[in-house]
Amino acid sequence: MKELIIIGHKNPDTDSIVASLVFGNFLKKNKLLPIPLSNFKIKVGYSGILNKEVVFVLNYFKEKKPSLIKSLKGKNVFLIDHGDYEQSIEGVEEANIVGVLDHHKLGGIKTQAPIFYRAEPLGSTSTILAKMFFENATPLTKKEAGLLLTGIISDTLKFTSPTTTKEDKDIAYVLAEISKEDITKLSKKMFEAKSDISDISPDKLVTMDYKEFKAKGIKFAIGVHETVLPEKIFSIKGKIFQALERLKKKRKQKLMFFVVIDILKKNGTLFLLSEKETKIAKKVFGKQVKDNLMLLPGVVSRKKQILPKILKFLEENESIS
Ligand SMILES: [Mn+2]
């Protein structure tokens, strides 16, 4: 039997991991999809580093972590929570992509055959997947509902991100009901786990929620660190900048942005590595820079509030040097 790897983006967040795990269950329970997925042996995978929120969630729900995947070359894959090559695992260009389930912008993925594709501009992939269970009248177990609930909480920062829709909230409350979880208590535990950087080096920290993009051939990256303890990061600011410099060189990026998101105060602080990033940030966000940092009040979403603006700027401006 052929194997199908279900996998989220590189350096997966909670949404990527739980949606992959629960989608694996969905396929096993559901043979009605418009692709012959029942012919596959399902394997849920991940690549990169699992952050502490993900580890907390897996332990809390007594769920095994997915299998570590090194390359997707020659494999049958179903992409979760991403839809472009840049966010995917190595070898994806030579994989047979049979499906995508996502809530991000469209990327450049091309396929030879028709695929299952579902994307909606909702707060999390977990929300879309919960909808699929409801649409197909497939029952969710207590654990599956709990896992999907953490995906929604994590991606929407407990409904405070501007990516949050009414559907995310409505579905989260249904999932809380099924899983018998208290959203406020569960969120607090998740965010505290995510904010614990006690044994994480600056080099690791800047890659844990790191995504690369391309606009007009310019490679750039935006890393994010969501926390309820931003002072922990500011106290090692110098080391963070050094780590960003190393990462920029290693990954051959033209621009390297890093944002610390204060979950409680609902703001973002942009770390500006060099003149280039500073110039662009000033034009794009129009805020003041102090000590190479720019405070962005109300900015908590890379997907909706940061990436589109930088992409637009790079696409409309020929030269960035
Ligand atoms: Mn997501």
Side-chain angles (χ1 to χ4, degrees), residues 26-87:
F26 179 82
L27 289 186
K28 285 174 200 161
K29 292 182 190 186
N30 229 299
K31 307 290 185 194
L32 302 171
L33 287 167
I35 37 168
L37 287 174
S38 47
N39 298 331
F40 288 107
K41 192 173 156 270
I42 307 289
K43 180 178 186 173
V44 180
Y46 81 98
S47 170
I49 314 161
L50 292 183
N51 72 43
K52 287 201 178 175
E53 184 185 83
V54 175
V55 174
F56 162 77
V57 165
L58 294 178
N59 287 337
Y60 184 83
F61 288 102
K62 298 188 175 60
E63 179 72 26
K64 268 192 259 155
K65 70 174 182 186
S67 315
L68 184 63
I69 304 286
K70 293 262 165 66
S71 169
L72 294 178
K73 190 178 170 186
K75 305 272 169 69
N76 302 299
V77 294
F78 198 111
L79 303 181
I80 301 283
D81 200 32
H82 69 299
D84 54 33
Y85 292 137
E86 271 97 34
Q87 310 315 329

Side-chain angles (χ1 to χ4, degrees), residues 9 13 15-16 81 102-104 123-126 151 155 211 303:
H9 54 77
D13 55 12
D15 187 36
S16 260
D81 200 32
D102 188 27
H103 68 135
H104 291 84
S124 74
T125 300
S126 296
D155 263 28
K211 290 186 178 180
K303 190 193 286 119

Side-chain angles (χ1 to χ4, degrees), residues 213-216 218-223 255-259 270-272 276-277 280-285 294 296 299 301-317 320:
F213 307 95
K214 219 189 258 175
K216 279 209 171 166
I218 300 163
K219 288 171 77 181
F220 68 101
I222 310 174
L255 301 162
M256 172 75 57
F257 296 98
F258 182 67
V259 197
L270 200 49
F271 280 54
L272 299 164
K276 258 183 214 164
E277 286 90 353
I280 293 171
K282 278 184 178 166
K283 290 210 172 119
V284 167
F285 299 104
M294 180 185 273
L296 302 172
V299 172
S301 168
R302 168 175 48 204
K303 190 193 286 119
K304 200 158 182 173
Q305 296 170 298
I306 301 170
L307 175 62
K309 289 188 176 175
I310 295 177
L311 270 178
K312 187 168 182 279
F313 177 85
L314 294 177
E315 266 149 26
E316 289 171 359
N317 292 270
I320 53 147

